Amino acid sequence: MGKIDSITVDIIENALKNIKEEMDVTLFRSAMSPVIREQHDCFPMITDPDGKMVVGNFGSHVPEVVAQFTEGLHEGDVIFLSDPYSCGGSISHINDWMIIIPIFYQGQLVGYASMFGHVMDVGGPVPSSMPVTATTIFGEGVRFPPVKLFEKGRLNEAIIKILKANTRTPVENYSDLMAIVAACRTAEKRVQELCERFGPEVYLEGLQALLERTNRMMRNLIQNFLPTEPVSFEDYIDDDGLGNGPFKMKLTIWREGYQAYFDWTGTDPQAPGPVNYYLSDNMFKMFIGAFLISVFDPAIMFNDGFYDLLHIKTPKGSLLRPDFPAALGCRTHVLSRLFDVLSGALSINTPQNSPAAGYGTSPYFIYSGKDEHNREFHLMEVMYGGLPGRPFADGLDGHSWWPAFVNIPTEYLETYYPLRVEYYRTGIDSGGAGKYRGGNCNEKLYTCLAKGTVSIHDDRAKLQPWGINGGEPGSTSYKVLIRKDGTRIPLESKLDNILVEPGDQILFVTAGSGGWGDPLERDPERVRLDVARGLVSLKKARKSYGVVIDPDTLEINEQATEFLREEMRKNRDRLEAFNFGNREELVKNRKVAQKS
């Protein structure tokens, strides 16, 4: 392989990034379900011929899947799958439909295009196919092992018939699937154009250069920011929806030279309920890289080039490596909490560089039934919460833990579904106080306009998101069913088949996030602005921040503030590196229950 110049490498890099964006645009303009079309729950990827991700959002699953086709792949083949156990957990539940297309240029394999997206419903006992009561994956819906949806360009009609017959949303699912195929076809065409422009040898050399560059830069991050002595951190999932929990997630990290080690030994055994998350090693390597790059050096291109530097140990039969056929449908609680655990472990030696804990899940609101015209409707909306306070800024209010996700517009919801959104707002005081405030939660009040059923998936209803470096913990989540006669019924965070009538309401409140740093070091003017914007109450401004504000003029009483802050510093306990809020009591009760 010859020496490629840096300008050509940069051109290929940016071309690939643009192709990834074009894949997304193609999908969003073609898909029908709101989870993909509006909320962008999908993940594109382009790889080299060995299946290593060069651009994308998730670690590569391609080699493991392609190896199952002993007859080989040909131009025009399209692989389809939805079974997490057949791809090492690279998709995390059976609602994720994945497409893989081999890319050929003049008969030479030059890479793969892949994408997966969350489809609305894949059968099973409840709408949206994520039953809280599932105890095996067989109770969640229909799953597809890797099969050829197209073979040498010819569509396998039998697969289409099977998938349409096993969903409550056949039109939407078919549209979403073909939109994912179209997105991958777009990448195929654009990569072939790059090979035509530069020649396949230069193109492939450029891919290798991008992987090697990321490897070199990641070695520096590992040596500069990971500890040489093992450090451990743990956090918990509230429960599995079946009365079991909380469940511990424990991570130990260290490095040896520029080789990094991540060991999940000490994590609880797999749950009886569906909160298990089958953690692919490559997926977790991607998460590690995403965290290190975003925190310490955002200029690094994100790809698989550093994977040989990371070594993962995940015990079999655990919450993060469940044995088949463990249920996986509600896995997002563990998936999201993983980032809090990783952040906590990396912060033990360098807390000044790490964020606090966030809302730690992907809350789902699911509403199904028949409208006034007797037409079936199925809605699944992903909700958001507070992102954590950071070493340089406040956490984001009511934001997705995955940056590419967006909310479904209220106008879309009210146009296509029999419901009304009474308000969608930020929850005051829900972000933990700190020098940099934790992000506030979301509060959304739905009025149901048709008879149907509602399902809810959420977490952090019991265990608060922790604060760091003296920051306070964030608020927990909660849900309320408000009957049309005004009766208020508290709901669990994981619940199926809530019967609703026209006029009933669901109040859906997510969790906030932890604060970063000493609240008494926060600029009083920033506290005043938070109060003026409805993000912090006058009471919390005084109690947590020591800032005295006139309730009529919203002006700061500087003398009273200075005096109050001095008194608070004298009388408070020593600030801890981590403030876990109510965690210790809940964990203690868990241990007592286990012994009994």
Side-chain angles (χ1 to χ4, degrees):
M1 187 174 290
K3 180 70 174 178
I4 188 171
D5 65 273
S6 60
I7 294 176
T8 302
V9 173
D10 288 343
I11 292 172
I12 292 173
E13 174 186 356
N14 286 286
L16 290 171
K17 289 179 178 178
N18 288 335
I19 294 170
K20 183 173 76 74
E21 296 298 322
E22 190 176 359
M23 291 175 73
D24 280 338
V25 171
T26 301
L27 179 62
F28 302 154
R29 291 181 175 178
S30 307
M32 288 186 66
S33 63
V35 179
I36 294 178
R37 182 184 184 89
E38 301 296 327
Q39 297 209 276
H40 303 173
D41 190 349
C42 58
F43 300 91
M45 180 174 67
I46 300 169
T47 82
D48 71 0
D50 295 326
K52 292 182 179 179
M53 182 184 75
V54 184
V55 293
N57 298 113
F58 268 33
S60 180
H61 40 263
V62 169
E64 184 171 354
V65 173
V66 169
Q68 298 177 48
F69 292 88
T70 55
E71 75 278 15
L73 296 178
H74 306 89
E75 195 158 2
D77 287 353
V78 176
I79 299 172
F80 165 56
L81 69 147
S82 68
D83 177 23
Y85 288 105
S86 67
C87 62
S90 292
I91 53 174
S92 56
H93 67 154
I94 59 177
N95 289 72
D96 287 338
W97 281 8
M98 178 187 288
I99 291 293
I100 301 173
I101 293 181
I103 303 174
F104 292 89
Y105 177 75
Q106 296 180 351
Q108 178 185 358
L109 179 68
V110 295
Y112 297 87
S114 181
M115 176 179 267
F116 69 86
H118 182 127
V119 298
M120 289 285 291
D121 182 277
V122 292
V126 299
S128 293
S129 310
M130 294 179 289
V132 171
T133 56
T135 55
T136 71
I137 199 168
F138 298 115
E140 295 180 324
V142 176
R143 59 194 175 95
F144 288 87
V147 293
K148 288 186 178 180
L149 180 64
F150 288 82
E151 189 162 7
K152 295 182 180 179
R154 184 174 181 179
L155 177 64
N156 188 334
E157 296 284 357
I159 294 175
I160 300 300
K161 290 179 181 178
I162 293 169
L163 66 85
K164 282 186 173 181
N166 287 280
T167 174
R168 298 169 179 86
T169 55
V171 175
E172 291 88 344
N173 282 22
Y174 177 75
S175 171
D176 293 348
L177 180 63
M178 290 305 169
I180 296 172
V181 173
C184 292
R185 288 292 191 206
T186 298
E188 177 187 36
K189 180 180 179 181
R190 297 292 181 250
V191 167
Q192 289 169 343
E193 290 172 352
L194 282 176
C195 290
E196 180 70 24
R197 177 181 179 184
F198 294 103
E201 294 80 12
V202 172
Y203 171 74
L204 295 176
E205 193 175 348
L207 301 189
Q208 185 62 31
L210 291 171
L211 292 167
E212 290 175 355
R213 187 174 68 187
T214 297
N215 184 287
R216 291 193 303 271
M217 299 177 78
M218 185 60 73
R219 289 183 183 207
N220 293 331
L221 291 188
I222 289 171
Q223 289 183 301
N224 290 336
F225 297 106
L226 266 60
T228 54
E229 296 297 324
V231 295
S232 300
F233 189 84
E234 58 190 47
D235 206 343
Y236 293 78
I237 305 300
D238 284 354
D239 58 75
D240 66 351
L242 298 179
N244 308 296
F247 294 93
K248 180 171 68 175
M249 297 171 62
K250 181 178 180 180
L251 177 63
T252 302
I253 65 173
W254 73 96
R255 71 172 176 87
E256 298 174 8
Y258 51 75
Q259 299 291 323
Y261 296 85
F262 298 80
D263 186 351
W264 287 101
T265 299
T267 295
D268 276 349
Q270 67 193 62
V275 298
N276 303 291
Y277 175 48
Y278 193 109
L279 179 60
S280 158
D281 284 354
N282 278 355
M283 188 79 75
F284 185 48
K285 289 177 180 180
M286 184 277 298
F287 292 154
I288 296 166
F291 184 90
L292 291 174
I293 288 171
S294 62
V295 172
F296 300 116
D297 193 350
I300 298 177
M301 183 182 183
F302 181 70
N303 59 40
D304 284 9
F306 59 85
Y307 280 16
D308 63 323
L309 306 176
L310 308 182
H311 307 274
I312 313 300
K313 181 179 180 181
T314 311
K316 275 183 59 63
S318 70
L319 194 68
L320 291 162
R321 187 59 60 87
D323 292 325
F324 178 84
L328 307 173
C330 304
R331 81 284 171 226
T332 54
H333 313 307
V334 174
L335 167 59
S336 305
R337 195 63 45 77
L338 179 151
F339 289 100
D340 290 338
V341 178
L342 176 60
S343 174
L346 290 170
S347 71
I348 289 177
N349 287 346
T350 58
Q352 68 277 8
N353 292 325
S354 297
Y359 69 104
T361 182
S362 281
Y364 292 152
F365 170 75
I366 300 166
Y367 177 36
S368 301
K370 290 186 177 181
D371 64 16
E372 60 181 354
H373 303 292
N374 206 36
R375 295 175 301 199
E376 289 192 358
F377 64 89
H378 299 278
L379 167 66
M380 196 202 85
E381 181 179 12
V382 183
M383 300 288 284
Y384 308 132
L387 294 191
R390 300 165 284 173
F392 58 90
D394 294 345
L396 301 177
D397 300 310
H399 202 282
S400 170
W401 65 270
W402 196 259
F405 283 19
V406 296
N407 69 295
I408 301 178
T410 296
E411 294 82 0
Y412 183 99
L413 292 173
E414 295 183 341
T415 298
Y416 292 104
Y417 298 96
L419 59 77
R420 187 170 62 246
V421 178
E422 305 296 344
Y423 58 75
Y424 183 31
R425 66 193 186 193
T426 295
I428 191 170
D429 289 345
S430 52
K435 179 179 180 179
Y436 297 113
R437 179 177 56 81
N440 282 347
C441 71
N442 276 344
E443 298 179 349
K444 198 163 190 175
L445 180 62
Y446 302 90
T447 296
C448 302
L449 303 179
K451 183 177 181 179
T453 60
V454 167
S455 293
I456 287 171
H457 294 203
D458 203 356
D459 203 69
R460 289 260 191 234
K462 301 173 183 176
L463 292 152
Q464 293 175 272
W466 40 267
I468 193 170
N469 298 322
E472 294 182 358
S475 65
T476 52
S477 64
Y478 66 93
K479 316 290 177 287
V480 182
L481 169 62
I482 307 171
R483 294 295 186 190
K484 56 186 174 183
D485 64 2
T487 303
R488 299 174 68 93
I489 304 170
L491 301 174
E492 297 293 330
S493 63
K494 303 170 185 66
L495 202 59
D496 282 332
N497 296 320
I498 306 164
L499 298 177
V500 292
E501 298 286 343
D504 288 347
Q505 295 181 317
I506 299 288
L507 174 59
F508 199 117
V509 180
T510 60
S513 61
W516 191 100
D518 184 352
L520 298 185
E521 293 182 6
R522 186 170 178 81
D523 183 350
E525 175 60 20
R526 299 189 70 175
V527 177
R528 188 195 70 80
L529 286 173
D530 283 343
V531 171
R533 293 165 178 165
L535 302 174
V536 172
S537 68
L538 287 167
K539 181 179 178 181
K540 189 174 181 70
R542 185 183 186 101
K543 180 180 178 182
S544 294
Y545 294 101
V547 177
V548 181
I549 298 174
D550 186 288
D552 298 319
T553 65
L554 295 186
E555 293 181 354
I556 300 171
N557 186 325
E558 295 183 3
Q559 184 176 0
T561 295
E562 184 177 346
F563 175 80
L564 178 58
R565 283 188 158 187
E566 186 60 33
E567 288 298 307
M568 291 173 68
R569 288 189 182 96
K570 290 178 182 178
N571 297 320
R572 69 184 178 183
D573 295 333
R574 183 174 63 89
L575 295 179
E576 300 290 338
F578 297 94
N579 186 337
F580 295 107
N582 60 0
R583 191 175 95 172
E584 298 308 316
E585 181 180 352
L586 290 169
V587 172
K588 180 181 177 181
N589 293 338
R590 166 185 183 266
K591 292 178 179 178
V592 171
Q594 286 177 334
K595 288 180 180 179
S596 62

